[in-house]
Amino acid sequence: GAVVSQHPSRVICKSGTSVKIECRSLDFQATTMFWYRQFPKQSLMLMATSNEGSKATYEQGVEKDKFLINHASLTLSTLTVTSAHPEDSSFYICSADGTRQETQYFGPGTRLLVL
Amino acid sequence: DAKTTQPPSMDCAEGRAANLPCNHSTISGNEYVYWYRQIHSQGPQYIIHGLKNNETNEMASLIITEDRKSSTLILPHATLRDTAVYYCIVRFGGSQGNLIFGKGTKLSVKP
């Protein structure tokens, strides 16, 4: 299957700071990228969908000013958690979809801990 | 909301076949059945998908009933590394439609 990477794999930050997470499709061009969040013992929840060169579409209840998404190229999307708080601590996972792919492929996830 | 129903957990003996059921009674004619799995603290891994015919790849087989209201994922010879949460998802095929994850089935493969 196609390869999607995320960086960093884990990050610890202080409350009030911002954290940027990168998602890259390594061997295909991703026309659409998705960002999910997963709390302990729960399933993945879709946060937003981003298409290269356009604004992201956020799911209901997800604050677009808090979770900034940039999809500047066909291989890179970034999620910035602004003014992070302890309740933002979670496992953030991206996925990518390309016109030649039959499905979405997921990154390994980024574990965020806000102190 | 997820459009599928799966048992919350299943056990399987190592080396035996694991058969994971999924009900999707409201599936529409142009929706595919996708299976992913998530090993602890990792991103989901794509396994297989199908529309109406049975499918097989190097990881698993997918059996879809004729009325398409249910399906079964088969891992022919389960290993300890197959212990994971398995998600059955229906969506439009190709690069269309979001993946909506339900609670999945926690498969525990035991020695």
Side-chain angles (χ1 to χ4, degrees), chain A residues 73-88:
Chain A
S73 78
L74 286 173
T75 59
L76 173 65
S77 176
T78 60
L79 168 67
T80 301
V81 183
T82 62
S83 187
H85 291 287
E87 57 265 31
D88 297 324

Side-chain angles (χ1 to χ4, degrees), chain A residues 6-110:
Chain A
Q6 279 184 245
H7 177 80
S9 59
R10 59 178 61 228
V11 56
I12 301 173
C13 70
K14 293 181 179 180
S15 185
T17 61
S18 294
V19 175
K20 179 184 285 188
I21 303 170
E22 292 186 350
C23 176
R24 293 181 185 273
S25 57
L26 299 184
D27 53 359
F28 68 100
Q29 292 186 328
T31 51
T32 306
M33 286 185 165
F34 305 83
W35 287 95
Y36 295 80
R37 180 168 52 181
Q38 186 175 33
F39 292 107
K41 298 186 184 298
Q42 295 186 21
S43 190
L44 283 77
M45 294 296 296
L46 179 66
M47 297 175 67
T49 303
S50 72
N51 293 297
E52 184 264 341
S54 61
K55 291 184 178 180
T57 301
Y58 291 81
E59 295 299 301
Q60 191 171 11
V62 177
E63 301 175 56
K64 63 180 181 180
D65 294 330
K66 181 170 181 61
F67 298 99
L68 302 179
I69 293 173
N70 184 279
H71 191 166
S73 78
L74 286 173
T75 59
L76 173 65
S77 176
T78 60
L79 168 67
T80 301
V81 183
T82 62
S83 187
H85 291 287
E87 57 265 31
D88 297 324
S89 298
S90 190
F91 192 47
Y92 291 87
I93 309 168
C94 72
S95 69
D97 212 346
T99 54
R100 295 185 179 182
Q101 315 309 312
E102 293 183 318
T103 188
Q104 295 177 30
Y105 291 93
F106 286 80
T110 297

